[in-house]
Amino acid sequence: MNMMSEAAVEKALDQKMNDASYKMIGKDVSVYYGEKRALFDVNLNVRENTVTALIGPSGCGKSTFLRCLNRMNDTIENCRVTGRITLDTDDIYDQNIDVVELRARVGMVFQKPNPFPKSIYENISYGPRIHGLARNKTDMDQIVEASLQRAGLWTEVKDRLHESGTGLSGGQQQRLCIARAVAVSPEVILMDEPCSALDPIATAKVEELIHELRANYTIVIVTHSMQQAARVSQRTAMFHLGQLVEENDTDKMFTNPDDQRTQDYIMGRFG
Amino acid sequence: MSTSLILLIVAMVGLAGYVIGARRSLAVGGGLSSKLHSRPGYYGSFVAVWAIVPAVFVLFIWLVASPTYISSSIRGAFPDEVKAQSEAEQGLAFGMITSIARGMNVLSLEEIDRVGSNPVDLRSALGAKGVPLAGDPQPYMVEAAGNLNTMTYASRLAMTAAVLAISGLGAAFAYRQIAPRFRARNRVEKVILVSLVVASSIAILTTVGIVLSMLTEATRFFTHVPAWEFFFGTVWDPRFAAAGSGGSEGQFGLIPLLLGTLYIGFVAMLFAVPIGLFSAIYMAEYASPKVRSVAKPLLEVLAGIPTIVYGFFALTTVGPFLRDLSSQLNGLVTGDYSNFIQAQSVLTAGFVMGIMLIPYVSSLSDDIITAVPRALRDGSLGLGATRSETIKRVILPAALPGIVGALLMTASRAVGETMIVVLAAGVAARIQLNPFEPMTTVTVKIVNQLTGDLEFTSPQTLVAFALGITLFAITLCLNIYALYIVRKYREQYE
């Protein structure tokens, strides 16, 4: 891909983003941990083929919101979610929605790289296997290769696919986890501070990867780094004390935010 | 002064030393503990250690050494004709002397005067005070008893003085060392370190001692019976060896006992492993915290039941139940109402032992399963795996080495179990494979060989030690292998 066409692709994507309907719509989302309320009536929509960054000081509820999007909060005791979240047109908290199916459509990458203590190959093939995405060994090999290639890890690991995934470096492990998420062909990928445990070089690689993944997936990323939000995202949402302060184009957010609190946070005056 | 009183005084000196030392350190630091190298408590402890440790050390040396010294000097003063007698008779004479000496302490001064040197009167006088003598004391014995009392008294006096002096001197020495830059903390911590080392070496030395004692007895056994006859013999028939009967030749084949042990252990694991593992998985992955907080302690209560209780549960309930069940089944199928399961059988013992082992399996496995990092669970669930897929494909494989280790530890418990087998599987040492028939284990035979009127020189008794050391070797190997596996597994997440 040369420079011209890359720019063209970017432009096309941006166009698509602006035209796009919302991939996920969150309406009046509130979350309670036991008696404590962690989110207050958040209304936030996620656009298709867009990287949406969630920023805000620690404990502001951005990770909580992220985990609502594929119901990972279900695994926490005493956690209660109210409001309505839709994926395309399906209410994901509806009785009829199978949470397993939902998580296959909305994948997740965690803060700390968490490869399974299995081989690299098995780490990738785990998801496709449980969802029956491969008809035979050849299919599976293709899925594994394609996923690793998408995650930019193929050339680094193709000769040691059957070595343990835990033996990789931190950055490689995180890209393995991204490849693992990609392998089940989700529509949305959620990332919870995916670079917080990585060094700058590995971070740069993962950021580049996120940028490329945008073409095929809708991405929501929680980050503590303003620069990272500015680099990888097109839309940014700012949380504070469990409330959504502002949601806007990233460019506007970092140059001329509507809300004073956003300005203060971005300028480093609190948080 | 009695030993406990001396100890009490030394402790008081130490306590006082602690208080004074702590105060003194504050005083030399000008009232500010920040000026001191260590916190005042360490200076206090330093003084207390010096007041207590050397004094107690001397006390114990003295308590051990002085009776030996006194006894040898009394024996040295025996008349020549006594010295010419055998060692055993000299020992008897010395025993009588100590009795007389103890008796003379009970008698009042006038009574001693009245009895004078008449040994026969002495015996009756002592008898009236509740100190019986084995025979009429001879004059030299009365004299030696007097000496013994004097020496004991002098030794005790000297000991009291020495110990108290050392305690005081130690405290004073330590007190004078106190200075702002004096490193009391380092010294005290070294003392603590040494005491920790001593404590752990006592445990290790005990193990070594037990093994050595078993080894020496076992080698004595192997002088009577060749090792290969023991390890590869297929008949267990030790005959009797009552004291004095001289003992007849028996056969000491280990194989039937070993087979019984392994067979019963295997049946027990057959019951315990699936039930224990499933309950561990339920507790760790599915149970709500409420259920878990009630069910887990309840399950662990099972582990607190004494095994003898399981034993009579087997004897009075499970055994007869299985026997009756088998006769009913037999009757329904063939019309012949005879039972094919004996009340005492491998099955009964294995089943009840399995129940006993459930809490071990489940509790150990539960700990190991919960130790699997939450991140792995989330990772799998986040990919759209169901709970059961997550458990089967991620958590159990990750926990497997630890679980295997836990199972090996449980197996070594099963191998060492005695009481249940005695009551539930009988004492018949046989080689056979029918789980409905009685068999017996190594531990049961050890108990058998060591109960009753014994002669510790016959192979019939000594075989118990050979059995013991064999069993020890088996469980030791199982435990070491289990520890090795568990440790290897731990490294994965660190």
Side-chain angles (χ1 to χ4, degrees):
Chain A
M1 222 187 277
N2 60 42
M3 284 302 289
M4 267 308 286
S5 62
E6 196 171 296
V9 168
E10 279 290 309
K11 202 171 165 202
L13 276 175
D14 285 345
Q15 187 58 43
K16 199 171 162 195
M17 173 186 105
N18 287 333
D19 297 345
S21 51
Y22 295 122
K23 184 71 184 170
M24 297 190 82
I25 296 171
K27 190 156 168 38
D28 295 330
V29 179
S30 295
V31 176
Y32 303 81
Y33 293 119
E35 291 298 302
K36 192 175 160 285
R37 193 169 179 183
L39 271 189
F40 296 84
D41 301 322
V42 171
N43 290 293
L44 179 61
N45 303 335
V46 176
R47 295 175 193 217
E48 202 158 5
N49 292 103
T50 307
V51 179
T52 305
L54 310 182
I55 61 171
S58 294
C60 67
K62 56 194 187 305
S63 287
T64 301
F65 181 76
L66 188 79
R67 292 171 69 93
C68 287
L69 295 179
N70 73 341
R71 293 183 55 177
M72 280 306 277
N73 282 334
D74 291 12
T75 63
I76 297 171
E77 296 297 335
N78 294 328
C79 180
R80 194 158 55 83
V81 179
T82 64
R84 191 182 150 87
I85 300 176
T86 55
L87 172 63
D88 293 335
T89 52
D90 309 326
D91 181 351
I92 65 170
Y93 281 90
D94 190 87
Q95 295 286 332
N96 300 321
I97 283 283
D98 184 7
V99 67
V100 166
E101 214 171 289
L102 169 71
R103 288 182 192 146
R105 291 174 68 190
V106 184
M108 186 151 192
V109 175
F110 296 85
Q111 186 170 359
K112 226 178 112 204
N114 58 349
F116 303 130
K118 300 167 179 279
S119 73
I120 294 170
Y121 185 94
E122 283 170 36
N123 260 286
I124 307 290
S125 65
Y126 178 80
R129 186 163 290 150
I130 56 179
H131 294 299
L133 298 183
R135 242 173 273 107
N136 49 42
K137 176 92 172 62
T138 332
D139 267 10
M140 187 61 85
D141 288 348
Q142 270 168 3
I143 292 175
V144 169
E145 179 173 348
S147 311
L148 283 169
Q149 235 148 17
R150 271 223 169 125
L153 199 59
W154 176 249
T155 47
E156 288 164 62
V157 301
K158 66 173 182 232
D159 298 324
R160 45 173 176 153
L161 285 177
H162 295 283
E163 285 173 32
S164 173
T166 49
L168 297 173
S169 74
Q172 287 174 325
Q173 284 188 13
Q174 193 61 300
R175 279 182 287 149
L176 179 64
C177 292
I178 294 174
R180 190 173 72 183
V182 166
V184 285
S185 321
E187 298 157 37
V188 182
I189 300 178
L190 310 176
M191 298 186 175
D192 192 353
E193 297 179 44
C195 300
S196 66
L198 305 184
D199 69 23
I201 295 167
T203 302
K205 281 195 173 159
V206 171
E207 283 180 6
E208 199 180 325
L209 173 59
I210 293 170
H211 205 75
E212 284 163 13
L213 289 174
R214 180 193 164 200
N216 298 300
Y217 306 96
T218 301
I219 295 174
V220 184
I221 176 171
V222 164
T223 176
H224 267 139
S225 155
M226 297 304 120
Q227 291 86 341
Q228 185 170 70
R231 279 194 300 264
V232 301
S233 72
Q234 288 78 49
R235 298 284 293 183
T236 300
M238 157 81 188
F239 283 76
H240 185 230
L241 298 176
Q243 273 160 337
L244 178 66
V245 172
E246 183 179 354
E247 195 256 340
N248 231 322
D249 277 346
T250 300
D251 294 342
K252 181 165 166 34
M253 198 83 163
F254 281 89
T255 50
N256 183 23
D258 290 338
D259 196 290
Q260 185 60 37
R261 284 172 293 175
T262 313
Q263 176 122 28
D264 288 348
Y265 181 65
I266 288 168
M267 302 293 280
R269 273 183 224 138
F270 74 85
Chain B
M1 212 183 284
S2 74
T3 312
S4 47
L5 187 59
I6 298 176
L7 278 175
L8 186 68
I9 293 177
V10 169
M12 305 256 282
V13 172
L15 194 67
Y18 178 86
V19 174
I20 296 171
R23 283 225 186 123
R24 165 76 182 163
S25 68
L26 268 181
V28 298
L32 285 173
S33 57
S34 60
K35 291 250 198 294
L36 299 169
H37 170 269
S38 315
R39 303 233 314 281
Y42 282 107
Y43 291 96
S45 306
F46 179 67
V47 176
V49 164
W50 267 100
I52 294 173
V53 175
V56 170
F57 186 70
V58 169
L59 179 70
F60 277 100
I61 298 284
W62 202 299
L63 282 177
V64 173
S66 93
T68 327
Y69 172 75
I70 292 173
S71 120
S72 70
S73 70
I74 295 282
R75 278 164 189 250
F78 276 175
D80 289 340
E81 72 267 19
V82 181
K83 275 187 188 166
Q85 289 169 343
S86 73
E87 190 63 31
E89 286 187 58
Q90 288 193 38
L92 283 179
F94 185 73
M96 193 123 105
I97 290 170
T98 50
S99 298
I100 298 172
R102 206 167 58 239
M104 282 164 84
N105 285 337
V106 183
L107 294 178
S108 61
L109 277 176
E110 308 97 75
E111 278 172 318
I112 292 176
D113 279 344
R114 189 150 42 75
V115 171
S117 53
N118 185 345
V120 186
D121 283 358
L122 182 65
R123 187 179 179 190
S124 58
L126 288 181
K129 291 282 181 187
V131 184
L133 291 185
D136 282 342
Q138 289 165 7
Y140 82 90
M141 286 182 176
V142 181
E143 193 188 327
N147 286 341
L148 180 65
N149 273 346
T150 334
M151 284 171 83
T152 313
Y153 181 70
S155 151
R156 189 148 271 278
L157 203 64
M159 179 180 78
T160 309
V163 167
L164 294 185
I166 289 170
S167 173
L169 284 177
F173 169 74
Y175 180 79
R176 292 199 44 188
Q177 300 244 322
I178 294 175
R181 298 313 305 163
F182 179 68
R183 303 185 170 189
R185 172 167 45 78
N186 308 30
R187 311 268 176 122
V188 172
E189 276 168 1
K190 198 165 275 174
V191 172
I192 291 172
L193 179 69
V194 168
S195 55
L196 294 180
V197 169
V198 168
S200 53
S201 43
I202 284 174
I204 293 168
L205 287 178
T206 315
T207 317
V208 172
I210 290 174
V211 172
L212 283 183
S213 86
M214 281 208 293
L215 264 182
T216 47
E217 299 294 328
T219 36
R220 277 175 66 198
F221 169 73
F222 287 124
T223 59
H224 292 278
V225 177
W228 63 270
E229 256 178 38
F230 172 71
F231 286 113
F232 301 107
T234 53
V235 178
W236 174 264
D237 182 18
R239 308 280 169 80
F240 292 106
S245 74
S248 48
E249 283 296 301
Q251 281 177 290
F252 303 92
L254 174 68
I255 299 289
L257 306 186
L258 202 58
L259 274 183
T261 305
L262 296 180
Y263 197 1
I264 292 175
F266 172 75
V267 173
M269 296 298 275
L270 222 52
F271 284 107
V273 172
I275 298 177
L277 263 186
F278 285 175
S279 90
I281 290 172
Y282 171 71
M283 293 286 173
E285 298 293 328
Y286 290 100
S288 69
K290 229 181 193 170
V291 173
R292 191 181 149 89
S293 67
V294 177
K296 210 176 173 224
L298 271 182
L299 195 68
E300 278 161 7
V301 165
L302 266 184
I305 298 176
T307 57
I308 185 75
V309 176
Y310 284 104
F312 46 76
F313 172 58
L315 187 70
T316 60
T317 312
V318 178
F321 171 75
L322 288 176
R323 183 195 58 208
D324 298 346
L325 186 74
S326 75
S327 76
Q328 289 301 322
L329 282 177
N330 202 11
L332 284 177
V333 176
T334 64
D336 169 20
Y337 281 90
S338 65
N339 57 305
F340 59 88
I341 302 180
Q342 306 291 322
Q344 287 194 322
S345 68
V346 171
L347 185 68
T348 314
F351 174 69
V352 175
M353 201 193 281
I355 291 174
M356 179 197 86
L357 294 177
I358 288 171
Y360 295 96
V361 176
S362 86
S363 177
L364 286 171
S365 313
D366 180 35
D367 290 347
I368 290 159
I369 290 172
T370 14
V372 173
R374 195 194 160 81
L376 285 185
R377 275 183 193 89
D378 282 355
S380 173
L381 292 174
L383 285 172
T386 63
R387 247 179 183 176
S388 90
E389 281 164 344
T390 303
I391 292 166
K392 273 185 299 196
R393 290 167 189 260
V394 175
I395 293 173
L396 285 186
L400 194 65
I403 290 175
V404 170
L407 294 186
L408 285 175
M409 278 186 197
T410 315
S412 81
R413 247 200 94 83
V415 167
E417 179 47 44
T418 315
M419 292 323 298
I420 293 176
V421 186
V422 175
L423 295 176
V427 291
R430 311 198 283 162
I431 298 184
Q432 52 100 24
L433 286 175
N434 184 352
F436 307 137
E437 293 286 325
M439 258 176 121
T440 199
T441 64
V442 176
T443 48
V444 170
K445 282 302 165 194
I446 294 179
V447 173
N448 260 3
Q449 296 308 109
L450 289 183
T451 36
D453 192 5
L454 298 171
E455 191 178 31
F456 267 85
T457 48
S458 68
Q460 276 80 358
T461 315
L462 291 174
V463 70
F465 295 96
L467 291 173
I469 199 95
T470 313
L471 198 63
F472 177 76
I474 294 173
T475 49
L476 187 71
C477 289
L478 278 176
N479 278 344
I480 289 178
Y481 187 55
L483 277 180
Y484 164 77
I485 286 179
V486 170
R487 192 166 301 163
K488 213 169 133 191
Y489 149 81
R490 289 250 162 82
E491 282 163 5
Q492 280 185 19
Y493 299 121
E494 278 167 5

Short mmCIF file of all heavy atoms in Angstrom, two decimals, chain A residues 105-141:
data_model
loop_
_atom_site.label_atom_id
_atom_site.label_comp_id
_atom_site.label_asym_id
_atom_site.label_seq_id
_atom_site.Cartn_x
_atom_site.Cartn_y
_atom_site.Cartn_z
N ARG A 105 -19.28 -11.83 19.72
CA ARG A 105 -19.41 -10.69 18.81
C ARG A 105 -18.66 -9.48 19.34
O ARG A 105 -18.25 -8.62 18.57
CB ARG A 105 -20.89 -10.35 18.63
CG ARG A 105 -21.66 -11.40 17.85
CD ARG A 105 -23.14 -11.10 17.82
NE ARG A 105 -23.45 -9.89 17.05
CZ ARG A 105 -24.65 -9.31 17.04
NH1 ARG A 105 -25.63 -9.81 17.75
NH2 ARG A 105 -24.86 -8.24 16.31
N VAL A 106 -18.55 -9.37 20.64
CA VAL A 106 -17.85 -8.24 21.26
C VAL A 106 -16.67 -8.80 22.05
O VAL A 106 -16.82 -9.24 23.17
CB VAL A 106 -18.79 -7.44 22.19
CG1 VAL A 106 -18.06 -6.23 22.74
CG2 VAL A 106 -20.04 -7.02 21.44
N GLY A 107 -15.52 -8.80 21.43
CA GLY A 107 -14.35 -9.39 22.07
C GLY A 107 -13.69 -8.42 23.03
O GLY A 107 -14.01 -7.24 23.06
N MET A 108 -12.74 -8.94 23.81
CA MET A 108 -12.12 -8.07 24.81
C MET A 108 -10.63 -8.36 24.95
O MET A 108 -10.21 -9.52 24.89
CB MET A 108 -12.82 -8.26 26.15
CG MET A 108 -12.35 -7.29 27.19
SD MET A 108 -13.64 -6.94 28.38
CE MET A 108 -12.96 -5.56 29.24
N VAL A 109 -9.86 -7.29 25.10
CA VAL A 109 -8.43 -7.41 25.38
C VAL A 109 -8.19 -6.71 26.72
O VAL A 109 -8.69 -5.61 26.94
CB VAL A 109 -7.59 -6.74 24.28
CG1 VAL A 109 -6.12 -6.76 24.64
CG2 VAL A 109 -7.82 -7.44 22.95
N PHE A 110 -7.45 -7.38 27.60
CA PHE A 110 -7.37 -6.89 28.97
C PHE A 110 -6.11 -6.06 29.22
O PHE A 110 -5.18 -6.02 28.41
CB PHE A 110 -7.43 -8.05 29.95
CG PHE A 110 -8.74 -8.78 29.89
CD1 PHE A 110 -8.95 -9.78 28.96
CD2 PHE A 110 -9.77 -8.43 30.73
CE1 PHE A 110 -10.16 -10.43 28.88
CE2 PHE A 110 -10.99 -9.07 30.66
CZ PHE A 110 -11.19 -10.07 29.73
N GLN A 111 -6.11 -5.44 30.39
CA GLN A 111 -5.02 -4.55 30.78
C GLN A 111 -3.69 -5.29 30.82
O GLN A 111 -2.71 -4.87 30.22
CB GLN A 111 -5.36 -4.00 32.16
CG GLN A 111 -4.40 -2.95 32.64
CD GLN A 111 -4.94 -2.29 33.90
OE1 GLN A 111 -6.03 -2.62 34.36
NE2 GLN A 111 -4.20 -1.37 34.45
N LYS A 112 -3.71 -6.41 31.55
CA LYS A 112 -2.48 -7.20 31.65
C LYS A 112 -2.56 -8.31 30.61
O LYS A 112 -3.58 -8.96 30.50
CB LYS A 112 -2.38 -7.82 33.05
CG LYS A 112 -1.02 -7.66 33.68
CD LYS A 112 -1.01 -8.26 35.07
CE LYS A 112 -0.12 -9.48 35.07
NZ LYS A 112 -0.45 -10.43 36.11
N PRO A 113 -1.51 -8.51 29.83
CA PRO A 113 -1.56 -9.62 28.86
C PRO A 113 -1.87 -10.91 29.61
O PRO A 113 -1.24 -11.20 30.63
CB PRO A 113 -0.14 -9.66 28.29
CG PRO A 113 0.47 -8.35 28.61
CD PRO A 113 -0.22 -7.83 29.83
N ASN A 114 -2.86 -11.66 29.14
CA ASN A 114 -3.23 -12.88 29.86
C ASN A 114 -3.31 -14.08 28.93
O ASN A 114 -4.36 -14.70 28.81
CB ASN A 114 -4.54 -12.69 30.62
CG ASN A 114 -5.69 -12.30 29.70
OD1 ASN A 114 -5.46 -11.96 28.55
ND2 ASN A 114 -6.90 -12.34 30.19
N PRO A 115 -2.21 -14.41 28.25
CA PRO A 115 -2.25 -15.60 27.40
C PRO A 115 -2.49 -16.83 28.28
O PRO A 115 -2.09 -16.86 29.44
CB PRO A 115 -0.85 -15.65 26.78
CG PRO A 115 0.01 -14.89 27.72
CD PRO A 115 -0.86 -13.83 28.31
N PHE A 116 -3.18 -17.83 27.71
CA PHE A 116 -3.36 -19.08 28.45
C PHE A 116 -2.02 -19.81 28.51
O PHE A 116 -1.21 -19.68 27.60
CB PHE A 116 -4.38 -19.97 27.74
CG PHE A 116 -5.71 -19.31 27.54
CD1 PHE A 116 -6.32 -19.30 26.30
CD2 PHE A 116 -6.36 -18.69 28.59
CE1 PHE A 116 -7.55 -18.69 26.11
CE2 PHE A 116 -7.59 -18.07 28.42
CZ PHE A 116 -8.18 -18.06 27.17
N PRO A 117 -1.80 -20.58 29.55
CA PRO A 117 -0.54 -21.35 29.61
C PRO A 117 -0.57 -22.53 28.63
O PRO A 117 -0.46 -23.67 29.02
CB PRO A 117 -0.47 -21.80 31.07
CG PRO A 117 -1.85 -21.71 31.59
CD PRO A 117 -2.59 -20.72 30.76
N LYS A 118 -0.76 -22.21 27.38
CA LYS A 118 -0.78 -23.21 26.31
C LYS A 118 0.14 -22.71 25.21
O LYS A 118 0.71 -21.63 25.33
CB LYS A 118 -2.19 -23.34 25.73
CG LYS A 118 -3.29 -23.74 26.68
CD LYS A 118 -4.63 -23.51 25.99
CE LYS A 118 -5.80 -23.89 26.85
NZ LYS A 118 -6.09 -25.32 26.85
N SER A 119 0.21 -23.48 24.11
CA SER A 119 1.08 -23.03 23.02
C SER A 119 0.45 -21.83 22.31
O SER A 119 -0.74 -21.53 22.49
CB SER A 119 1.27 -24.17 22.02
OG SER A 119 0.10 -24.36 21.28
N ILE A 120 1.27 -21.13 21.53
CA ILE A 120 0.78 -19.97 20.80
C ILE A 120 -0.38 -20.37 19.91
O ILE A 120 -1.43 -19.72 19.86
CB ILE A 120 1.93 -19.37 19.97
CG1 ILE A 120 3.00 -18.80 20.92
CG2 ILE A 120 1.43 -18.29 19.03
CD1 ILE A 120 4.28 -18.40 20.23
N TYR A 121 -0.20 -21.50 19.21
CA TYR A 121 -1.24 -21.99 18.31
C TYR A 121 -2.54 -22.22 19.06
O TYR A 121 -3.61 -21.78 18.64
CB TYR A 121 -0.75 -23.28 17.65
CG TYR A 121 -1.68 -23.82 16.60
CD1 TYR A 121 -1.48 -23.50 15.26
CD2 TYR A 121 -2.74 -24.65 16.94
CE1 TYR A 121 -2.33 -23.98 14.29
CE2 TYR A 121 -3.59 -25.15 15.97
CZ TYR A 121 -3.38 -24.82 14.64
OH TYR A 121 -4.22 -25.29 13.68
N GLU A 122 -2.43 -22.90 20.21
CA GLU A 122 -3.64 -23.21 20.97
C GLU A 122 -4.29 -21.97 21.55
O GLU A 122 -5.51 -21.91 21.71
CB GLU A 122 -3.33 -24.20 22.08
CG GLU A 122 -3.17 -25.62 21.58
CD GLU A 122 -2.62 -26.53 22.67
OE1 GLU A 122 -2.99 -26.34 23.83
OE2 GLU A 122 -1.81 -27.41 22.34
N ASN A 123 -3.47 -20.97 21.87
CA ASN A 123 -4.04 -19.72 22.35
C ASN A 123 -4.97 -19.12 21.31
O ASN A 123 -6.05 -18.64 21.64
CB ASN A 123 -2.91 -18.73 22.66
CG ASN A 123 -2.61 -18.65 24.14
OD1 ASN A 123 -3.37 -18.08 24.90
ND2 ASN A 123 -1.50 -19.27 24.55
N ILE A 124 -4.53 -19.13 20.05
CA ILE A 124 -5.34 -18.54 18.98
C ILE A 124 -6.53 -19.45 18.65
O ILE A 124 -7.64 -18.99 18.48
CB ILE A 124 -4.51 -18.33 17.70
CG1 ILE A 124 -3.25 -17.53 18.02
CG2 ILE A 124 -5.34 -17.64 16.63
CD1 ILE A 124 -3.48 -16.12 18.36
N SER A 125 -6.26 -20.76 18.59
CA SER A 125 -7.31 -21.67 18.11
C SER A 125 -8.39 -21.90 19.17
O SER A 125 -9.44 -22.44 18.86
CB SER A 125 -6.70 -23.01 17.69
OG SER A 125 -6.13 -23.65 18.81
N TYR A 126 -8.13 -21.46 20.39
CA TYR A 126 -9.08 -21.70 21.48
C TYR A 126 -10.48 -21.19 21.13
O TYR A 126 -11.46 -21.93 21.18
CB TYR A 126 -8.56 -21.02 22.75
CG TYR A 126 -9.46 -21.14 23.93
CD1 TYR A 126 -9.48 -22.30 24.68
CD2 TYR A 126 -10.30 -20.09 24.31
CE1 TYR A 126 -10.30 -22.42 25.78
CE2 TYR A 126 -11.12 -20.21 25.40
CZ TYR A 126 -11.13 -21.38 26.14
OH TYR A 126 -11.95 -21.49 27.23
N GLY A 127 -10.56 -19.89 20.76
CA GLY A 127 -11.87 -19.28 20.48
C GLY A 127 -12.56 -19.93 19.29
O GLY A 127 -13.69 -20.40 19.40
N PRO A 128 -11.87 -19.98 18.12
CA PRO A 128 -12.49 -20.60 16.96
C PRO A 128 -12.97 -22.02 17.25
O PRO A 128 -14.02 -22.44 16.77
CB PRO A 128 -11.37 -20.61 15.93
CG PRO A 128 -10.50 -19.49 16.32
CD PRO A 128 -10.58 -19.38 17.80
N ARG A 129 -12.22 -22.76 18.07
CA ARG A 129 -12.59 -24.14 18.34
C ARG A 129 -13.88 -24.20 19.14
O ARG A 129 -14.80 -24.93 18.78
CB ARG A 129 -11.46 -24.83 19.10
CG ARG A 129 -11.70 -26.31 19.30
CD ARG A 129 -10.42 -27.04 19.66
NE ARG A 129 -9.49 -27.10 18.54
CZ ARG A 129 -8.17 -27.13 18.66
NH1 ARG A 129 -7.63 -27.08 19.86
NH2 ARG A 129 -7.40 -27.20 17.62
N ILE A 130 -13.99 -23.39 20.19
CA ILE A 130 -15.22 -23.49 21.00
C ILE A 130 -16.42 -22.94 20.25
O ILE A 130 -17.55 -23.32 20.52
CB ILE A 130 -15.09 -22.80 22.37
CG1 ILE A 130 -14.70 -21.33 22.22
CG2 ILE A 130 -14.12 -23.50 23.27
CD1 ILE A 130 -14.59 -20.61 23.54
N HIS A 131 -16.19 -22.06 19.28
CA HIS A 131 -17.32 -21.55 18.52
C HIS A 131 -17.53 -22.31 17.21
O HIS A 131 -18.39 -21.98 16.42
CB HIS A 131 -17.14 -20.06 18.23
CG HIS A 131 -17.16 -19.24 19.47
ND1 HIS A 131 -18.25 -19.20 20.30
CD2 HIS A 131 -16.23 -18.46 20.05
CE1 HIS A 131 -17.98 -18.41 21.33
NE2 HIS A 131 -16.75 -17.96 21.21
N GLY A 132 -16.67 -23.34 16.99
CA GLY A 132 -16.84 -24.16 15.79
C GLY A 132 -16.64 -23.40 14.51
O GLY A 132 -17.39 -23.57 13.55
N LEU A 133 -15.63 -22.53 14.46
CA LEU A 133 -15.43 -21.72 13.27
C LEU A 133 -14.61 -22.42 12.20
O LEU A 133 -14.56 -21.97 11.06
CB LEU A 133 -14.73 -20.40 13.63
CG LEU A 133 -15.49 -19.49 14.59
CD1 LEU A 133 -14.72 -18.20 14.81
CD2 LEU A 133 -16.87 -19.18 14.03
N ALA A 134 -13.96 -23.52 12.58
CA ALA A 134 -13.11 -24.20 11.60
C ALA A 134 -13.66 -25.58 11.31
O ALA A 134 -14.07 -26.29 12.22
CB ALA A 134 -11.68 -24.32 12.14
N ARG A 135 -13.67 -25.93 10.01
CA ARG A 135 -14.21 -27.23 9.63
C ARG A 135 -13.15 -28.32 9.84
O ARG A 135 -13.48 -29.44 10.18
CB ARG A 135 -14.67 -27.20 8.18
CG ARG A 135 -16.16 -27.47 8.01
CD ARG A 135 -16.61 -27.27 6.58
NE ARG A 135 -16.97 -25.91 6.29
CZ ARG A 135 -16.23 -25.07 5.54
NH1 ARG A 135 -15.10 -25.47 5.01
NH2 ARG A 135 -16.64 -23.84 5.31
N ASN A 136 -11.90 -27.98 9.61
CA ASN A 136 -10.84 -28.97 9.76
C ASN A 136 -9.53 -28.29 10.12
O ASN A 136 -9.48 -27.08 10.33
CB ASN A 136 -10.69 -29.76 8.45
CG ASN A 136 -10.60 -28.83 7.26
OD1 ASN A 136 -9.91 -27.80 7.36
ND2 ASN A 136 -11.27 -29.15 6.19
N LYS A 137 -8.49 -29.09 10.15
CA LYS A 137 -7.18 -28.60 10.58
C LYS A 137 -6.67 -27.49 9.65
O LYS A 137 -6.11 -26.50 10.11
CB LYS A 137 -6.21 -29.80 10.59
CG LYS A 137 -4.78 -29.47 10.93
CD LYS A 137 -4.53 -29.63 12.43
CE LYS A 137 -3.05 -29.50 12.77
NZ LYS A 137 -2.47 -28.23 12.44
N THR A 138 -6.91 -27.65 8.34
CA THR A 138 -6.42 -26.65 7.39
C THR A 138 -7.10 -25.31 7.65
O THR A 138 -6.44 -24.26 7.66
CB THR A 138 -6.73 -27.09 5.95
OG1 THR A 138 -6.78 -28.50 5.91
CG2 THR A 138 -5.73 -26.55 4.98
N ASP A 139 -8.42 -25.36 7.86
CA ASP A 139 -9.17 -24.15 8.19
C ASP A 139 -8.56 -23.46 9.40
O ASP A 139 -8.33 -22.26 9.42
CB ASP A 139 -10.62 -24.52 8.55
CG ASP A 139 -11.51 -24.43 7.33
OD1 ASP A 139 -10.96 -24.29 6.22
OD2 ASP A 139 -12.74 -24.51 7.50
N MET A 140 -8.31 -24.30 10.43
CA MET A 140 -7.81 -23.75 11.68
C MET A 140 -6.44 -23.11 11.48
O MET A 140 -6.18 -22.01 11.97
CB MET A 140 -7.73 -24.87 12.73
CG MET A 140 -7.39 -24.37 14.11
SD MET A 140 -8.60 -23.22 14.74
CE MET A 140 -9.83 -24.32 15.43
N ASP A 141 -5.59 -23.80 10.70
CA ASP A 141 -4.27 -23.24 10.42
C ASP A 141 -4.41 -21.87 9.77
O ASP A 141 -3.68 -20.93 10.11
CB ASP A 141 -3.48 -24.17 9.49
CG ASP A 141 -3.03 -25.43 10.21
OD1 ASP A 141 -3.14 -25.45 11.46
OD2 ASP A 141 -2.61 -26.39 9.55
#
